[in-house]
Amino acid sequence: MEDAFWLYTDGAARGNPGPAAIGAVLFRGSPTSGHVVAELSRTIGHATNNVAEYRAVIEGLEMAAGHSPALLVVRCDSLGSVAGDGAGSTAPSRPGAAVGRRF
């Protein structure tokens, strides 16, 4: 896993819905190596927690794609972001599948 890339993402909204922000960090090699390849953090306007989580994963994957990783491990704290169940959110069902097809 030395040549793997690791993507950590998170998104949140205050008030749910409310002001929301996203963040992502991309590491090459082990995340404990401290070799940060890219990072992002920004506000996304008014959104729900679920939408913020989805956007963080999607924008993190787009950021990672620019580095052409042979292997990408994605870590986030929202199962819905990975499973794409859309439960309780305004996000489309199974967004992970749509994003995966683009890469």
Side-chain angles (χ1 to χ4, degrees):
M1 299 274 275
E2 185 84 15
D3 59 345
F5 282 74
W6 293 71
L7 176 66
Y8 286 77
T9 69
D10 200 8
R14 181 179 296 159
N16 198 26
I22 62 171
V25 179
L26 181 66
F27 295 91
R28 184 176 184 123
S30 167
T32 58
S33 72
H35 184 70
V36 175
V37 174
E39 58 190 350
L40 70 88
S41 64
R42 68 180 190 86
T43 60
I44 60 168
H46 191 84
T48 65
N49 278 319
N50 287 347
V51 168
E53 292 282 4
Y54 284 121
R55 293 274 299 273
V57 171
I58 290 168
E59 291 191 29
L61 287 171
E62 290 172 345
M63 178 178 68
H67 297 276
S68 303
L71 175 64
L72 178 65
V73 179
V74 179
R75 300 284 186 184
C76 63
D77 63 359
S78 174
L79 180 59
S81 295
V82 176
D85 63 9
S89 80
T90 57
S93 174
R94 306 234 2 113
V99 172
R101 282 192 298 271
R102 283 194 282 167
F103 298 104

